[in-house]
């Protein structure tokens, strides 16, 4: 598909005007670029790093993530998970198994690269090594009311009819939009190469440990000859979170193996009244603070919000005045809140209960068949948190009782 510009003449005093510029080439940005390019628009995808690049992320691919992938996308799975071992701060360990695959595991560098390639095949153009310092919607850099100026660190200015901010949790575009956060967590992770005998023991099985800090948990995700081991907890508990990871690794008998990578990452959840747009600029994924508050699962939220942002960016690019622009931006916000927003509000309630009573969660998942079935259904994608609350009065009642 051509990536020639389809807005007016695509030029402004000799400078090209892109229909859509997407900032950030992670899952949200690649998904947005793909959606806008498939619609036949000229799309420029900007990424500050060189690709492929490492990202701190467990790399779990659940059902909603698979459902949001572009047609023909082949997942680069490192393992297929059929069993989950649960423990409560290292105690009361129990493994639950499933005949059907629960979820898959990927390396983010491979996954992200493949998503970008799909966007490029659809017609999007990629520029790496491009750091955006700011966007401007008024002023001398902006030739007319239908344009946004994207200013790069080296001073170069790019023009677009619409901009999608998908530049992660430290987003420049989020600052422009005025994104407000409700919850910030610190994730710490190590990639541990292990001998074949150890790798074999973990094949097809993950560990989830409900941690010692309120709302914290740890995980072991096997990916062939490497184990991804991580923990997450509320920000502000840095030293205690680091200690949890060290204790967790030691308890698993993995302290003797040298990690190939140690990394950290902040995850951010939006406040309910946080904006998702400003003028002709939309935000999605981590930049918008969109992720599941309890598990902090972000890939499916990135893909789903990215696709919506790409589709609505196309409509904003076509908008001829501020009123139409505003209407399309409000429709984008409505689409996000009606789907992902509902899941986030249930996730927030689950996190509040989990912070107070991790033992109850552990007992339910390891001892109650309906709780395990719900967990398996959500990871497989046969149901979602929102659907479960709508269609299971028992789940609604249990959550309301816990809320109190």
């Amino acid at each position: 598909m051509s990536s020639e510009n389809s807005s007016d003449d695509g030029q402004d005093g000799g400078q090209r005007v892109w229909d859509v510029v997407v900032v950030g080439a992670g899952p949200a940005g690649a998904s947005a670029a793909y959606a806008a390019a498939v619609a036949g628009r000229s799309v420029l995808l900007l990424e500050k790093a060189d690709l492929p690049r490492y990202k701190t992320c467990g790399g779990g691919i659940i059902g909603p993530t698979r459902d949001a992938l572009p047609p023909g996308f082949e997942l680069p799975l490192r393992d297929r998970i059929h069993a989950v071992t649960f423990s409560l701060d290292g105690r009361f360990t129990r493994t639950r198994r499933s005949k059907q695959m629960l979820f898959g595991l990927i390396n983010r560098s491979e996954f992200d690269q493949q998503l970008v390639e799909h966007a490029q095949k659809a017609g999007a153009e990629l520029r790496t090594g491009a750091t955006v310092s700011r966007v401007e919607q008024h002023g001398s850099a902006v030739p007319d009311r239908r344009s946004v100026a994207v200013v790069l660190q080296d001073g170069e200015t790019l023009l677009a009819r619409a901009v999608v901010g998908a530049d992660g949790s430290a987003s420049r575009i989020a600052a422009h939009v005025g994104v407000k956060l409700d919850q910030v967590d610190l994730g710490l992770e190590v990639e541990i190469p292990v001998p074949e005998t150890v790798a074999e023991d973990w094949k097809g099985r993950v560990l989830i440990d409900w941690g010692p800090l309120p709302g914290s948990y740890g995980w072991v995700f096997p990916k062939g000859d490497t184990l991804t081991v991580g923990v997450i907890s509320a920000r502000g508990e840095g030293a205690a979170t680091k200690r949890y990871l060290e204790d967790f690794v030691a308890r698993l008998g993995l302290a003797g193996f040298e990690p190939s990578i140690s990394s950290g990452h902040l995850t951010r959840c939006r406040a309910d009244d946080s904006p998702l747009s400003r003028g002709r600029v939309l935000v999605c994924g981590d930049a918008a603070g969109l992720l599941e508050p309890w598990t902090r699962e972000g890939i499916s939220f990135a893909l789903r919000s990215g696709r919506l942002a790409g589709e609505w960016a196309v409509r904003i690019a076509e908008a001829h005045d501020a009123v139409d622009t505003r209407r399309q931006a409000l429709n984008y916000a409505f689409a996000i809140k009606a789907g992902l927003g509902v899941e986030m509000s249930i996730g927030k309630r689950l996190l509040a209960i989990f912070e107070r009573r991790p033992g109850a969660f552990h007992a339910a998942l390891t001892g109650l068949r309906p709780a395990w079935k719900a967990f398996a259904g959500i990871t497989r994608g046969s149901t979602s948190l929102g659907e479960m609350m709508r269609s299971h009065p028992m789940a609604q009642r249990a959550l309301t009782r816990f809320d109190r």
Side-chain angles (χ1 to χ4, degrees), residues 188-192 202 218-221 226-231 245 248-249 252 254 261 263:
L188 298 176
E189 197 167 70
V190 285
E191 299 285 346
I192 305 178
W202 284 97
W219 61 89
V220 180
F221 284 1
T226 300
L227 298 178
T228 298
V229 183
V231 300
L245 179 61
F248 186 46
V249 168
L252 293 163
L254 298 170
I261 297 172
S263 64

Side-chain angles (χ1 to χ4, degrees), residues 53-281:
R53 47 95 180 94
Y54 179 80
K55 275 282 178 208
T56 307
C57 176
I61 300 295
I62 58 174
T65 306
R66 285 197 307 274
D67 296 343
L69 291 166
F73 189 95
E74 289 288 324
L75 275 166
L77 291 183
R78 290 297 172 133
D79 204 345
R80 290 170 168 77
I81 300 308
H82 287 81
V84 182
T85 298
F86 295 101
S87 60
L88 183 63
D89 197 16
R91 296 163 302 143
F92 311 117
T93 303
R94 171 137 191 229
T95 299
R96 305 218 60 160
R97 298 181 189 280
S98 165
K99 286 192 176 72
Q100 284 173 280
M101 180 173 100
L102 293 163
F103 56 95
L105 297 177
I106 49 96
N107 284 331
R108 275 287 303 277
S109 56
E110 298 169 338
F111 178 71
D112 291 12
Q113 174 77 30
Q114 240 173 271
L115 283 170
V116 168
E117 285 165 9
H118 270 258
Q120 286 176 291
K121 278 185 204 132
E125 225 167 277
L126 171 70
R127 265 180 73 176
T128 55
T131 302
V132 172
S133 63
R134 66 186 187 280
V135 289
E136 292 178 14
Q137 302 196 62
H138 310 284
S140 57
V142 186
D144 61 56
R145 286 181 175 177
R146 288 192 60 214
S147 301
V148 183
V150 179
V151 185
L152 303 185
Q153 211 169 41
D154 62 8
E156 186 188 352
T157 299
L158 304 162
L159 295 177
R161 295 284 178 230
V163 170
V164 175
D167 46 339
S169 63
S171 168
R172 289 285 167 93
I173 314 299
H176 173 80
V177 166
V179 171
K180 292 188 279 185
L181 302 171
D182 199 30
Q183 172 190 332
V184 182
D185 294 293
L186 170 65
L188 298 176
E189 197 167 70
V190 285
E191 299 285 346
I192 305 178
V194 291
E196 207 175 313
T197 48
V198 178
E200 198 54 43
D201 184 43
W202 284 97
K203 195 170 163 46
R205 176 176 69 95
V206 299
L207 168 66
I208 295 173
D209 177 72
W210 313 115
L213 304 162
S216 69
Y217 74 96
W219 61 89
V220 180
F221 284 1
K223 296 169 190 173
D225 57 3
T226 300
L227 298 178
T228 298
V229 183
V231 300
I232 196 157
S233 177
R235 183 176 68 170
E237 296 280 353
T241 307
K242 194 164 180 283
R243 198 158 53 246
Y244 175 29
L245 179 61
E246 285 165 2
D247 292 349
F248 186 46
V249 168
R251 197 163 66 215
L252 293 163
L254 298 170
F257 303 115
E258 189 62 38
S260 56
I261 297 172
S262 296
S263 64
H265 172 68
L266 291 176
T267 65
R268 300 140 53 101
C269 268
R270 68 188 290 276
D272 285 341
D273 61 346
S274 178
L276 289 158
S277 67
R278 178 177 167 187
R280 290 177 171 266
V281 179

Side-chain angles (χ1 to χ4, degrees), residues 41-59:
R41 299 302 179 269
S42 65
V43 180
L44 179 63
L45 179 57
L46 301 173
E47 169 58 46
K48 66 180 178 187
D50 288 325
L51 297 175
R53 47 95 180 94
Y54 179 80
K55 275 282 178 208
T56 307
C57 176

Side-chain angles (χ1 to χ4, degrees), residues 354-377:
F354 174 64
E355 284 174 341
R356 296 197 308 270
R357 305 187 60 183
F361 268 77
H362 183 68
L365 281 167
T366 56
L368 298 176
R369 192 168 162 70
W372 166 248
K373 269 180 76 174
F375 176 90

Side-chain angles (χ1 to χ4, degrees), residues 41 137 145-146 161-162 277-282 311-333:
R41 299 302 179 269
Q137 302 196 62
R145 286 181 175 177
R146 288 192 60 214
R161 295 284 178 230
S277 67
R278 178 177 167 187
R280 290 177 171 266
V281 179
L282 304 175
E311 289 168 359
W312 258 277
V314 166
R315 290 168 190 157
I316 285 172
E318 290 164 354
H320 280 275
D321 57 36
V323 175
D324 195 16
T325 301
R326 179 92 187 112
R327 185 165 57 238
Q328 300 302 348
L330 284 169
N331 285 340
Y332 168 65

